[in-house]
């Protein structure tokens, strides 16, 4: 049953990644690209959890994909705020 749920979660995050990728192609907004990459990393996390033996589930390297996903979301938000500050004539973060 656990593998089914992880398969379902990996499919849902793959679909979300494809929607964000399509939005990025239409708008050329890099925030959508960062979110697409983050959801792709989350998909890898769920696939990795389904492939690892349940007794070894708590190994840290499986959760690195989740860490990468959250870092990508944070970088995307900071990049979006920095870019909007430059566009409005205001200096960006750290300037």
């Amino acid at each position: 049953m656990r593998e089914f749920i992880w398969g379902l979660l990996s499919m849902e995050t793959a679909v979300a990644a494809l929607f964000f990728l399509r939005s990025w192609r239409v708008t050329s907004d890099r925030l959508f690209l960062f979110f697409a990459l983050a959801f792709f990393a989350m998909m890898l996390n769920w696939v990795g959890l389904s492939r690892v033996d349940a007794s070894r589930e708590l190994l840290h390297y499986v959760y690195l994909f989740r860490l990468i996903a959250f870092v990508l979301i944070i970088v995307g938000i900071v990049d979006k705020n920095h870019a909007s500050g430059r566009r409005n004539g205001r200096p960006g973060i750290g300037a």
Side-chain angles (χ1 to χ4, degrees), residues 4-37:
F4 175 75
I5 298 295
W6 282 330
L8 185 66
L9 286 169
S10 63
M11 186 264 316
E12 290 173 351
T13 53
V15 168
L18 290 175
F19 276 120
F20 280 119
L21 194 61
R22 184 181 66 176
S23 297
W24 170 70
R25 287 182 52 186
V26 170
T27 64
S28 298
D29 190 355
R30 290 192 308 191
L31 180 67
F32 291 127
L33 179 62
F34 281 112
F35 270 77
L37 292 173

Side-chain angles (χ1 to χ4, degrees), residues 1-2 11 23 40 47 49 52 57 62 67 71 77 89 93:
M1 182 67 171
R2 225 193 299 206
M11 186 264 316
S23 297
F40 181 71
V47 170
L49 282 174
V52 172
E57 178 182 323
V62 176
L67 176 66
V71 167
I77 291 170
I93 298 172

Side-chain angles (χ1 to χ4, degrees), residues 80-94:
K80 179 72 174 181
N81 287 336
H82 184 69
S84 68
R86 276 186 279 141
R87 223 183 357 242
N88 293 334
R90 291 178 289 156
I93 298 172

